[in-house]
PDB file of all heavy atoms in Angstrom:
ATOM      1  N   VAL R   3      80.694 121.235 120.337  1.00 97.00           N
ATOM      2  CA  VAL R   3      81.605 121.104 119.187  1.00 97.00           C
ATOM      3  C   VAL R   3      80.888 120.462 118.011  1.00 97.00           C
ATOM      4  O   VAL R   3      80.271 119.402 118.153  1.00 97.00           O
ATOM      5  CB  VAL R   3      82.846 120.253 119.551  1.00 97.00           C
ATOM      6  CG1 VAL R   3      83.744 120.044 118.330  1.00 97.00           C
ATOM      7  CG2 VAL R   3      83.641 120.902 120.678  1.00 97.00           C
ATOM      8  N   VAL R   4      80.947 121.126 116.852  1.00 96.00           N
ATOM      9  CA  VAL R   4      80.490 120.519 115.602  1.00 96.00           C
ATOM     10  C   VAL R   4      81.760 120.298 114.781  1.00 96.00           C
ATOM     11  O   VAL R   4      82.315 121.233 114.209  1.00 96.00           O
ATOM     12  CB  VAL R   4      79.492 121.424 114.847  1.00 96.00           C
ATOM     13  CG1 VAL R   4      79.076 120.781 113.523  1.00 96.00           C
ATOM     14  CG2 VAL R   4      78.271 121.717 115.714  1.00 96.00           C
ATOM     15  N   PRO R   5      82.283 119.048 114.773  1.00 94.00           N
ATOM     16  CA  PRO R   5      83.609 118.812 114.197  1.00 94.00           C
ATOM     17  C   PRO R   5      83.616 118.763 112.671  1.00 94.00           C
ATOM     18  O   PRO R   5      83.220 117.777 112.071  1.00 94.00           O
ATOM     19  CB  PRO R   5      84.025 117.461 114.793  1.00 94.00           C
ATOM     20  CG  PRO R   5      82.752 116.781 115.175  1.00 94.00           C
ATOM     21  CD  PRO R   5      81.685 117.820 115.328  1.00 94.00           C
ATOM     22  N   ILE R   6      84.052 119.867 112.054  1.00 91.00           N
ATOM     23  CA  ILE R   6      84.218 119.889 110.598  1.00 91.00           C
ATOM     24  C   ILE R   6      85.610 120.450 110.345  1.00 91.00           C
ATOM     25  O   ILE R   6      85.782 121.631 110.083  1.00 91.00           O
ATOM     26  CB  ILE R   6      83.154 120.775 109.907  1.00 91.00           C
ATOM     27  CG1 ILE R   6      81.743 120.352 110.327  1.00 91.00           C
ATOM     28  CG2 ILE R   6      83.304 120.703 108.390  1.00 91.00           C
ATOM     29  CD1 ILE R   6      80.641 121.217 109.755  1.00 91.00           C
ATOM     30  N   GLY R   7      86.623 119.600 110.503  1.00 82.00           N
ATOM     31  CA  GLY R   7      87.990 120.072 110.318  1.00 82.00           C
ATOM     32  C   GLY R   7      88.825 118.959 109.752  1.00 82.00           C
ATOM     33  O   GLY R   7      88.304 117.892 109.422  1.00 82.00           O
ATOM     34  N   SER R   8      90.133 119.186 109.665  1.00 75.00           N
ATOM     35  CA  SER R   8      90.971 118.124 109.114  1.00 75.00           C
ATOM     36  C   SER R   8      91.465 117.164 110.198  1.00 75.00           C
ATOM     37  O   SER R   8      91.770 116.026 109.919  1.00 75.00           O
ATOM     38  CB  SER R   8      92.131 118.716 108.301  1.00 75.00           C
ATOM     39  OG  SER R   8      92.246 120.094 108.501  1.00 75.00           O
ATOM     40  N   GLY R   9      91.534 117.629 111.477  1.00 77.00           N
ATOM     41  CA  GLY R   9      92.064 116.763 112.528  1.00 77.00           C
ATOM     42  C   GLY R   9      91.011 116.141 113.421  1.00 77.00           C
ATOM     43  O   GLY R   9      90.887 114.936 113.527  1.00 77.00           O
ATOM     44  N   ASN R  10      90.233 116.988 114.091  1.00 88.00           N
ATOM     45  CA  ASN R  10      89.133 116.545 114.972  1.00 88.00           C
ATOM     46  C   ASN R  10      89.563 115.629 116.120  1.00 88.00           C
ATOM     47  O   ASN R  10      88.828 114.734 116.526  1.00 88.00           O
ATOM     48  CB  ASN R  10      88.014 115.872 114.162  1.00 88.00           C
ATOM     49  CG  ASN R  10      87.423 116.796 113.110  1.00 88.00           C
ATOM     50  OD1 ASN R  10      87.326 117.998 113.317  1.00 88.00           O
ATOM     51  ND2 ASN R  10      87.047 116.247 111.973  1.00 88.00           N
ATOM     52  N   ASP R  11      90.763 115.859 116.673  1.00 92.00           N
ATOM     53  CA  ASP R  11      91.211 115.044 117.807  1.00 92.00           C
ATOM     54  C   ASP R  11      90.430 115.349 119.084  1.00 92.00           C
ATOM     55  O   ASP R  11      90.171 114.458 119.882  1.00 92.00           O
ATOM     56  CB  ASP R  11      92.707 115.231 118.052  1.00 92.00           C
ATOM     57  CG  ASP R  11      93.541 114.493 117.016  1.00 92.00           C
ATOM     58  OD1 ASP R  11      93.495 113.250 117.015  1.00 92.00           O
ATOM     59  OD2 ASP R  11      94.211 115.149 116.211  1.00 92.00           O
ATOM     60  N   PHE R  12      90.038 116.611 119.268  1.00 96.00           N
ATOM     61  CA  PHE R  12      89.237 116.933 120.450  1.00 96.00           C
ATOM     62  C   PHE R  12      87.883 116.224 120.378  1.00 96.00           C
ATOM     63  O   PHE R  12      87.408 115.646 121.353  1.00 96.00           O
ATOM     64  CB  PHE R  12      89.031 118.449 120.602  1.00 96.00           C
ATOM     65  CG  PHE R  12      88.323 118.802 121.889  1.00 96.00           C
ATOM     66  CD1 PHE R  12      89.038 119.040 123.046  1.00 96.00           C
ATOM     67  CD2 PHE R  12      86.934 118.849 121.944  1.00 96.00           C
ATOM     68  CE1 PHE R  12      88.384 119.318 124.253  1.00 96.00           C
ATOM     69  CE2 PHE R  12      86.271 119.128 123.132  1.00 96.00           C
ATOM     70  CZ  PHE R  12      86.998 119.364 124.287  1.00 96.00           C
ATOM     71  N   ALA R  13      87.279 116.248 119.185  1.00 95.00           N
ATOM     72  CA  ALA R  13      85.981 115.577 118.990  1.00 95.00           C
ATOM     73  C   ALA R  13      86.110 114.074 119.233  1.00 95.00           C
ATOM     74  O   ALA R  13      85.233 113.450 119.839  1.00 95.00           O
ATOM     75  CB  ALA R  13      85.464 115.839 117.582  1.00 95.00           C
ATOM     76  N   ARG R  14      87.230 113.502 118.806  1.00 94.00           N
ATOM     77  CA  ARG R  14      87.488 112.078 119.029  1.00 94.00           C
ATOM     78  C   ARG R  14      87.542 111.813 120.545  1.00 94.00           C
ATOM     79  O   ARG R  14      86.971 110.852 121.040  1.00 94.00           O
ATOM     80  CB  ARG R  14      88.814 111.718 118.359  1.00 94.00           C
ATOM     81  CG  ARG R  14      89.085 110.235 118.202  1.00 94.00           C
ATOM     82  CD  ARG R  14      90.428 109.987 117.516  1.00 94.00           C
ATOM     83  NE  ARG R  14      90.320 109.896 116.064  1.00 94.00           N
ATOM     84  CZ  ARG R  14      90.696 110.849 115.213  1.00 94.00           C
ATOM     85  NH1 ARG R  14      91.229 111.956 115.650  1.00 94.00           N
ATOM     86  NH2 ARG R  14      90.553 110.690 113.918  1.00 94.00           N
ATOM     87  N   MET R  15      88.232 112.680 121.267  1.00 95.00           N
ATOM     88  CA  MET R  15      88.370 112.540 122.719  1.00 95.00           C
ATOM     89  C   MET R  15      87.014 112.634 123.432  1.00 95.00           C
ATOM     90  O   MET R  15      86.763 111.944 124.415  1.00 95.00           O
ATOM     91  CB  MET R  15      89.310 113.638 123.239  1.00 95.00           C
ATOM     92  CG  MET R  15      89.487 113.675 124.734  1.00 95.00           C
ATOM     93  SD  MET R  15      90.564 115.048 125.260  1.00 95.00           S
ATOM     94  CE  MET R  15      89.338 116.301 125.644  1.00 95.00           C
ATOM     95  N   ALA R  16      86.145 113.496 122.907  1.00 95.00           N
ATOM     96  CA  ALA R  16      84.853 113.740 123.562  1.00 95.00           C
ATOM     97  C   ALA R  16      83.757 112.782 123.095  1.00 95.00           C
ATOM     98  O   ALA R  16      82.591 112.936 123.464  1.00 95.00           O
ATOM     99  CB  ALA R  16      84.429 115.190 123.318  1.00 95.00           C
ATOM    100  N   GLY R  17      84.131 111.790 122.256  1.00 94.00           N
ATOM    101  CA  GLY R  17      83.142 110.812 121.790  1.00 94.00           C
ATOM    102  C   GLY R  17      82.186 111.357 120.750  1.00 94.00           C
ATOM    103  O   GLY R  17      81.046 110.902 120.623  1.00 94.00           O
ATOM    104  N   LEU R  18      82.641 112.357 119.988  1.00 94.00           N
ATOM    105  CA  LEU R  18      81.773 113.003 118.992  1.00 94.00           C
ATOM    106  C   LEU R  18      82.053 112.547 117.571  1.00 94.00           C
ATOM    107  O   LEU R  18      81.423 113.009 116.629  1.00 94.00           O
ATOM    108  CB  LEU R  18      81.962 114.531 119.056  1.00 94.00           C
ATOM    109  CG  LEU R  18      81.723 115.187 120.415  1.00 94.00           C
ATOM    110  CD1 LEU R  18      82.155 116.646 120.383  1.00 94.00           C
ATOM    111  CD2 LEU R  18      80.268 115.070 120.827  1.00 94.00           C
ATOM    112  N   ARG R  19      83.038 111.659 117.408  1.00 87.00           N
ATOM    113  CA  ARG R  19      83.379 111.208 116.058  1.00 87.00           C
ATOM    114  C   ARG R  19      82.330 110.224 115.560  1.00 87.00           C
ATOM    115  O   ARG R  19      81.752 109.460 116.337  1.00 87.00           O
ATOM    116  CB  ARG R  19      84.735 110.506 116.078  1.00 87.00           C
ATOM    117  CG  ARG R  19      85.869 111.442 116.357  1.00 87.00           C
ATOM    118  CD  ARG R  19      86.449 112.030 115.115  1.00 87.00           C
ATOM    119  NE  ARG R  19      86.900 111.000 114.205  1.00 87.00           N
ATOM    120  CZ  ARG R  19      87.348 111.225 112.990  1.00 87.00           C
ATOM    121  NH1 ARG R  19      87.398 112.445 112.537  1.00 87.00           N
ATOM    122  NH2 ARG R  19      87.733 110.241 112.217  1.00 87.00           N
ATOM    123  N   GLY R  20      82.080 110.261 114.248  1.00 85.00           N
ATOM    124  CA  GLY R  20      81.180 109.278 113.661  1.00 85.00           C
ATOM    125  C   GLY R  20      79.708 109.608 113.832  1.00 85.00           C
ATOM    126  O   GLY R  20      78.849 108.858 113.386  1.00 85.00           O
ATOM    127  N   LEU R  21      79.392 110.732 114.493  1.00 91.00           N
ATOM    128  CA  LEU R  21      77.978 111.159 114.542  1.00 91.00           C
ATOM    129  C   LEU R  21      77.678 111.810 113.200  1.00 91.00           C
ATOM    130  O   LEU R  21      78.529 112.506 112.647  1.00 91.00           O
ATOM    131  CB  LEU R  21      77.759 112.197 115.655  1.00 91.00           C
ATOM    132  CG  LEU R  21      78.161 111.836 117.092  1.00 91.00           C
ATOM    133  CD1 LEU R  21      77.888 113.031 118.009  1.00 91.00           C
ATOM    134  CD2 LEU R  21      77.401 110.629 117.586  1.00 91.00           C
ATOM    135  N   GLY R  22      76.483 111.624 112.679  1.00 89.00           N
ATOM    136  CA  GLY R  22      76.101 112.349 111.466  1.00 89.00           C
ATOM    137  C   GLY R  22      75.970 113.832 111.797  1.00 89.00           C
ATOM    138  O   GLY R  22      75.945 114.212 112.969  1.00 89.00           O
ATOM    139  N   LEU R  23      75.864 114.676 110.771  1.00 91.00           N
ATOM    140  CA  LEU R  23      75.794 116.122 111.004  1.00 91.00           C
ATOM    141  C   LEU R  23      74.599 116.499 111.878  1.00 91.00           C
ATOM    142  O   LEU R  23      74.745 117.246 112.855  1.00 91.00           O
ATOM    143  CB  LEU R  23      75.765 116.881 109.675  1.00 91.00           C
ATOM    144  CG  LEU R  23      75.806 118.412 109.816  1.00 91.00           C
ATOM    145  CD1 LEU R  23      77.089 118.873 110.506  1.00 91.00           C
ATOM    146  CD2 LEU R  23      75.684 119.099 108.462  1.00 91.00           C
ATOM    147  N   ALA R  24      73.424 115.963 111.574  1.00 92.00           N
ATOM    148  CA  ALA R  24      72.217 116.316 112.342  1.00 92.00           C
ATOM    149  C   ALA R  24      72.403 115.981 113.824  1.00 92.00           C
ATOM    150  O   ALA R  24      72.071 116.771 114.710  1.00 92.00           O
ATOM    151  CB  ALA R  24      70.997 115.584 111.780  1.00 92.00           C
ATOM    152  N   GLU R  25      72.967 114.795 114.090  1.00 95.00           N
ATOM    153  CA  GLU R  25      73.197 114.356 115.471  1.00 95.00           C
ATOM    154  C   GLU R  25      74.248 115.237 116.153  1.00 95.00           C
ATOM    155  O   GLU R  25      74.095 115.618 117.314  1.00 95.00           O
ATOM    156  CB  GLU R  25      73.628 112.884 115.460  1.00 95.00           C
ATOM    157  CG  GLU R  25      73.870 112.254 116.818  1.00 95.00           C
ATOM    158  CD  GLU R  25      72.626 112.119 117.692  1.00 95.00           C
ATOM    159  OE1 GLU R  25      71.514 112.518 117.270  1.00 95.00           O
ATOM    160  OE2 GLU R  25      72.784 111.609 118.813  1.00 95.00           O
ATOM    161  N   SER R  26      75.300 115.596 115.417  1.00 96.00           N
ATOM    162  CA  SER R  26      76.340 116.497 115.939  1.00 96.00           C
ATOM    163  C   SER R  26      75.742 117.820 116.404  1.00 96.00           C
ATOM    164  O   SER R  26      76.088 118.325 117.472  1.00 96.00           O
ATOM    165  CB  SER R  26      77.368 116.830 114.857  1.00 96.00           C
ATOM    166  OG  SER R  26      78.298 115.802 114.734  1.00 96.00           O
TER     167      SER R  26
END
C-alpha cells in the first residue's frame, strides 16, 4: 500500500502512516 488518499485508515492499521513517500 502506498497511502495517498483522504482517509488512509487501512494504512494506519498496517503501521504505514507517517512514512515519507520514498519509505512508503
Side-chain angles (χ1 to χ4, degrees):
V3 176
V4 178
I6 306 177
S8 11
N10 301 326
D11 285 294
F12 186 89
R14 194 180 269 105
M15 177 182 95
L18 304 171
R19 292 270 303 174
L21 304 178
L23 185 61
E25 182 66 0
S26 279

